[in-house]
């Protein structure tokens, strides 16, 4: 409880006024007798706005797993009622002490909340905070990990988990502030959706069954929740590692697949994910009266006692309530997805929580006691805000401008961003970097609602806002401007500010009993409160962490505003300049002498921008932040290398949160200041200061090259032209083919791959390989064999076969293919003229099983070709250009010498073989597709050749042409995707495969 609240400093009047407004709302809602708390201040506005009938889309969930709104989704021209769930989550504490594992469980934990609401999670952002990752390791604080290690390994951990589960992460930003040396900021944000009719939120009743669904329980994560609230010291790195959970993306993917089954989801009465507190919380709070048998909890290994089982925070588990009559049916549905579902608890009616261990009652608590929420604590608060952000950008000249572009706050983070798969699921509207050259960063994450038909025109769009320097100087304005920034970014992309909902992430130092420290989050929340009241966009979700201290070092006051809305995909624009001879305008945020926005003018301008985008007048826009107007214009020019002439006297390098640069046809409105025009020169001209675009890009991209490279040493090996005689392949006239889409542990592209065949008229058989036990494995081998017998096409989809462990990619799939029964049926399938396609992980399986290039499953030798780690040493997710150089395959008929712009996303895609094997592949016309550079020539140069493949090989066929393997993902190119990449062309090998049998 907050008491003795006092406001001081130059914003005393404004903070008092906002706080009094909060008190008035409390009184109006009948909450005047309730204690004043931070939580109440943060959550009261949705309740207030609801009473005013202003939150038309807000969905009042009984389960409160994640912020939820009800939306209309346009599918095939029909509106369907869906629920959109979004959640932000930090794992600062575990990421600080174990960067890879901590960051991996951050995204895993964020996914679990909307997933427990039965939503399929398809969209993600990652916002992290660090000290200076490029500083010398000698500056590392004793008993701390170096910033470079935390930054690099946290990126690897988060991306590894997200990539494995098949989550499209399309916006990634690291924030830099020396305060984050106290403790890392590792924040994930996700969006999921589910058809409303599939969600049954019913009150559990006595006799209902509680199932533990998903992974087994281990000692990992015990004490993680309490540990995350502790201040770190010199011993933390060695004493707290056991508190880090061990994530398992593959298991969580299986839960996602199960929850997409309407027949399974409709059996769920209530669901709760496992996080802080483990069994105690996930099962303990799922019903008013519960009896838990700890001996029934499936374990990873022997030796855990009852306390450890009850408190373990092992991830990838769900508590599911079903009726007793439905329990066996649900368990069978789970088993069909290679998942365990175990009866571990029962709903009772005695008003208590009970736990049994080894036949004895070890816990017996009344629900009335649990609902007291513990002992009351009180603290005094002094909010003193007496400074404004000192912007020391300096005067504009070429030297200063290039230094600003290379500063860590402004410099490109592309080498880090490309670790994250941004195209999986085939629903990405905007790539992280846009334009022909993929250099202009997007300000928002935008994805189509992930429906089964891939026909939805509705997209979810998300952004974030926060500035550590600004908020450190003035927490009141900092909270306010976090909200403004998050909304402005969505407005600049084409979203309507009137339909935006927010979620907050607070992260502050350990507050203790210091009243002035307590004043920092209070003043930040008051600033955010004022922004919500004046914009109408309110926070319906959020998460907090109040432990950002290491001895005397503290994290900067952090309030991140996440903004979410939905729009039609056709109404969204991107950030890169589109063409020459367009006008460049600036909307500068109108503020008073204390930097508080003119809310009325701001909202009317947001509406003008929305209408300008809807009408087609505004064709590109980008929010202005660090580096000011000049940096924003430069980044807008990079993507298509379109020049600009700027003639404004405004401070070009100054921080301008909330301001927007616009490329447009003529806007006859004094709200927008004409500051320049675009042109086809290769230069940026700021008030006659001439800077080449290439020089600016070089400054902008070199800063983080040592830790997140974007360049490789190019091979000097020449790639001679390959001449292949086109070959006409006659269709066999079989009729409508059946495509077998096997799903292995780690497969994550089966939905978009199956859809690509289905829309061409194929029948689809999809079966999951079950390895829960030896008998399940044998049953799977039998069912796979039967599916192969009845199919004409086999397609091995992309993913991470068993996590690509141990020792490289596709090992699990290869072991299945080499099973004697499967091997026999595949060889028989090929003899009868069947077609096989392998994409990415599927291509790796074809290569490592011998199906490519040999056309049969066989053991490999030292001269066999392989696919190995990318030359750049990391995962690469981007768009590339490929050329079909060989159409001696049903898959490639009619495509000879055509080029296609397609996504790639892999860490092991570099084709390698010895010289003799390469000559044989060329001789027998087995090189099918090659990577091309800007001049449409095959290349070894990154990024055009994303993995450094020998001879620019992107895809291979066998000598008969009926097996085709490739690294790029044409199945991810659906209608309307990749709006900020010009010339994306659908490489429809799927139609060719189907037509071969017609």
């Amino acid at each position: 409880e907050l008491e003795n609240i006092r406001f001081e400093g130059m914003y005393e009047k404004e903070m008092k006024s906002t706080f009094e407004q909060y008190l008035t709302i409390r009184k109006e809602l009948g909450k005047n007798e309730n204690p004043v708390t931070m939580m109440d201040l943060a959550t009261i506005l949705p309740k207030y706005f609801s009473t005013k009938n202003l939150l038309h889309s807000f969905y009042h969930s009984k389960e409160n797993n994640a912020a939820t709104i009800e939306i209309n989704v346009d599918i095939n021209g029909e509106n369907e009622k869906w629920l959109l769930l979004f959640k932000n989550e930090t794992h600062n504490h575990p990421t600080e002490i174990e960067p890879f594992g901590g960051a991996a469980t951050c995204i895993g934990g964020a996914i679990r909340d909307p997933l427990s609401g039965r939503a399929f999670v398809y969209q993600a952002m990652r916002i992290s905070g660090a000290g200076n990752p490029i500083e010398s390791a000698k500056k590392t604080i004793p008993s701390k990990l170096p910033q470079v290690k935390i930054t690099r390994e946290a990126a690897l951990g988060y991306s590894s988990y997200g990539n494995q589960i098949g989550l499209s992460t399309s916006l990634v930003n690291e924030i830099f502030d020396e305060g984050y040396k106290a403790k890392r900021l590792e924040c994930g944000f996700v969006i999921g959706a589910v058809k409303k009719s599939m969600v049954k939120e019913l009150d559990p009743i006595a006799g209902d069954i509680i199932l533990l669904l998903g992974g087994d329980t281990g000692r990992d994560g015990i004490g993680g929740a309490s540990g995350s609230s502790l201040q770190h010291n010199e011993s933390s790195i060695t004493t707290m590692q056991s508190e880090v959970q061990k994530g398992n993306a593959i298991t969580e993917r299986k839960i996602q697949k199960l929850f997409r089954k309407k027949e399974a989801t409709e059996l769920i009465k209530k669901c709760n994910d496992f996080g802080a507190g483990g069994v105690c919380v996930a099962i303990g709070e799922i019903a008013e009266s519960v009896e838990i048998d700890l001996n029934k909890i499936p374990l990873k290994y022997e030796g855990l006692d009852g306390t450890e089982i009850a408190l373990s925070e092992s991830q990838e588990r769900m508590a599911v309530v079903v009726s007793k009559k439905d329990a066996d049916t649900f368990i069978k549905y789970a088993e069909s997805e290679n998942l365990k579902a175990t009866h571990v608890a029962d709903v009772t009616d005695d008003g208590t929580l009970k736990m049994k261990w080894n036949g004895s009652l070890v816990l017996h608590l009344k629900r009335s006691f649990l609902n007291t929420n513990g002992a009351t604590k009180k603290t005094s608060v002094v909010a003193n805000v007496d400074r404004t952000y000192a912007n020391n950008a300096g005067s504009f000249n070429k030297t200063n401008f290039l230094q600003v572009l290379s500063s860590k706050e402004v410099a490109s983070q592309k080498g880090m961003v490309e670790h994250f798969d941004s195209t999986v699921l085939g629903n990405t509207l905007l790539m992280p970097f846009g334009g022909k050259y993929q250099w202009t960063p997007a300000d928002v994450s935008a994805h189509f609602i992930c429906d089964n038909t891939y026909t939805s025109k509705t997209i979810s769009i998300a952004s974030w806002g926060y500035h550590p320097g600004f908020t450190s100087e003035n927490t009141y304005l900092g909270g306010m401007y976090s909200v403004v920034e998050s909304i402005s970014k969505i407005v600049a992309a084409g979203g309507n500010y009137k339909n935006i909902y927010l979620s907050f992430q607070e992260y502050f130092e350990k507050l203790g009993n210091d009243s002035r420290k307590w004043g920092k989050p209070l003043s930040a929340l008051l600033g955010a409160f004022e922004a919500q009241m004046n914009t109408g966009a309110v926070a319906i979700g959020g998460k907090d962490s109040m432990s950002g201290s290491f001895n005397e070092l503290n994290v900067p006051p952090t309030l991140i505003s996440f903004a979410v809305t939905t729009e039609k995909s056709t109404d969204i624009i991107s950030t890169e300049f589109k063409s020459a001879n367009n006008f460049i305008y600036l909307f500068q945020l109108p503020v008073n002498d204390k930097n508080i926005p003119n809310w009325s003018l701001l909202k009317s301008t947001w509406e003008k921008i929305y209408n300008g985008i809807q009408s087609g007048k505004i064709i590109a826009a980008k929010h202005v932040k660090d580096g000011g107007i000049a940096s924003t214009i430069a980044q807008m020019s990079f993507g298509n290398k379109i020049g600009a002439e700027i003639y404004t006297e405004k401070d070009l390098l100054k921080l301008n949160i909330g301001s927007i640069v616009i490329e447009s046809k003529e806007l006859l409105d004094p709200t927008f200041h004409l500051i320049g025009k675009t042109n086809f020169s290769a230069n940026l001209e700021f008030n006659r200061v001439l800077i080449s675009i290439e020089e600016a890009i070089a400054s902008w991209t070199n800063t983080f090259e040592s830790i997140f490279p974007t360049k490789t040493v190019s091979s000097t090996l020449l790639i001679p032209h390959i001449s292949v005689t086109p070959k006409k392949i006659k269709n066999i006239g079989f009729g409508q083919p059946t495509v077998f889409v096997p799903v292995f542990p780690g497969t994550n592209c089966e939905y978009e791959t199956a859809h690509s065949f289905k829309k061409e008229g194929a029948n689809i058989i999809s079966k999951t390989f079950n390895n829960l036990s030896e008998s399940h494995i044998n049953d799977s081998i039998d069912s796979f064999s039967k599916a192969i017998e009845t199919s004409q096409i086999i397609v091995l989809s992309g993913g991470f076969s068993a996590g690509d462990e141990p020792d490289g990619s596709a090992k699990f799939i290869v072991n299945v293919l080499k099973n004697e029964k499967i091997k026999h049926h595949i060889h028989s399938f090929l003899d009868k003229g069947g077609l096989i396609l392998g994409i990415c992980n599927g291509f790796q399986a074809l290569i490592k099983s011998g199906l490519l290039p040999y056309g049969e499953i066989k053991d490999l030798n030292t001269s066999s070709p392989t696919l190995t780690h990318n030359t750049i040493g990391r995962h690469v997710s981007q768009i590339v250009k490929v050329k079909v150089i060989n159409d001696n395959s049903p898959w490639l008929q009619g495509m000879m010498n055509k080029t296609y712009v397609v996504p790639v996303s892999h860490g092991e895609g570099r084709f390698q073989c010895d010289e003799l094997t390469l000559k044989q592949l060329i001789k027998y016309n087995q090189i099918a597709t090659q990577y091309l550079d800007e001049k449409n020539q095959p290349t070894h140069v990154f990024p055009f050749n994303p993995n450094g493949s020998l001879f620019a090989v992107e895809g291979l066929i066998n000598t008969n042409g009926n097996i085709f393997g490739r690294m790029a993902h044409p199945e991810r190119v659906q209608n309307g995707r990749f709006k900020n990449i010009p010339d994306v062309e659908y490489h429809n090998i799927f139609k060719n495969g189907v037509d071969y049998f017609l």
Side-chain angles (χ1 to χ4, degrees), residues 91-224:
H91 274 211
N92 311 318
H93 162 61
T95 306
E96 175 70 20
I97 59 178
E98 191 180 320
F100 186 99
T105 59
C106 176
I107 183 59
I111 292 168
R112 283 201 315 270
D113 286 288
L115 176 57
S116 65
R118 277 71 99 200
F120 185 83
V121 180
Y122 58 87
Q123 177 177 357
M125 302 190 294
R126 177 193 184 237
I127 308 302
S128 52
N132 183 357
I134 54 176
E135 70 181 9
S136 169
K138 294 178 181 178
K139 294 186 178 181
T140 301
I141 297 172
S143 301
K144 283 277 191 180
L145 296 173
Q147 289 299 301
V148 63
K149 179 178 178 65
I150 299 175
T151 288
R152 184 188 284 129
E153 293 191 7
L156 291 174
Y158 190 115
S159 62
S160 173
Y161 194 104
N163 295 351
Q164 286 186 61
I165 199 172
L167 175 60
S168 192
T169 305
S170 56
L171 197 148
V172 176
N173 287 113
E174 186 126 296
I175 304 164
F176 301 106
D177 187 279
E178 288 300 286
Y180 289 125
K181 286 184 175 180
K183 191 185 287 187
R184 167 85 174 178
L185 167 67
E186 188 64 41
C187 184
F189 176 91
V190 298
I191 298 179
V194 59
K195 193 180 294 188
K196 184 180 178 183
S197 61
M198 290 175 61
V199 180
K200 313 294 183 187
E201 293 184 321
L202 304 174
D203 292 327
I205 60 174
D208 284 344
I209 300 297
I210 301 174
L211 302 174
L212 192 156
L213 175 68
D216 293 341
T217 300
R219 287 192 178 90
D220 51 297
I222 294 178

Side-chain angles (χ1 to χ4, degrees), residues 530-572:
E530 179 174 339
Q532 292 173 87
M533 286 295 297
N534 284 287
T535 63
V538 298
I540 61 172
K543 200 74 181 286
D544 64 84
S545 179
M546 299 293 176
S547 62
S549 296
F550 178 83
N551 293 334
E552 301 304 315
L553 183 64
N554 300 313
V555 299
T558 304
L559 190 154
I560 304 172
S561 172
F562 292 100
V564 176
T565 191
T566 59
E567 287 287 346
K568 286 187 176 180
S569 60
T570 50
D571 294 333
I572 299 302

Side-chain angles (χ1 to χ4, degrees), residues 926-944:
Q926 290 188 256
I927 298 176
T929 49
Q930 289 180 305
Y931 299 107
L932 300 183
D933 63 16
E934 292 171 299
K935 298 178 181 178
N936 291 326
Q937 296 299 313
T939 181
H940 291 117
V941 176
F942 186 89
F944 312 105

Side-chain angles (χ1 to χ4, degrees), residues 414-415 418 433 436-439 641 701 705 709-714 870-872 874-882 902-906 930-934 937 939-949 954:
K414 189 175 186 181
E418 287 181 348
F433 292 87
K436 177 182 177 182
Y437 303 97
Q438 297 175 67
W439 279 120
K641 296 186 180 178
T701 57
E705 192 68 20
T710 60
K711 305 177 183 71
T712 59
V713 177
S714 300
N870 300 345
T871 303
I872 202 162
R874 61 170 171 83
H875 192 97
V876 174
S877 178
Q878 60 180 39
I879 303 291
V880 299
K881 186 185 293 185
V882 299
V902 288
V904 293
S905 185
H906 55 259
Q930 289 180 305
Y931 299 107
L932 300 183
D933 63 16
E934 292 171 299
Q937 296 299 313
T939 181
H940 291 117
V941 176
F942 186 89
F944 312 105
N945 182 332
N947 44 53
S949 275
E954 187 268 333

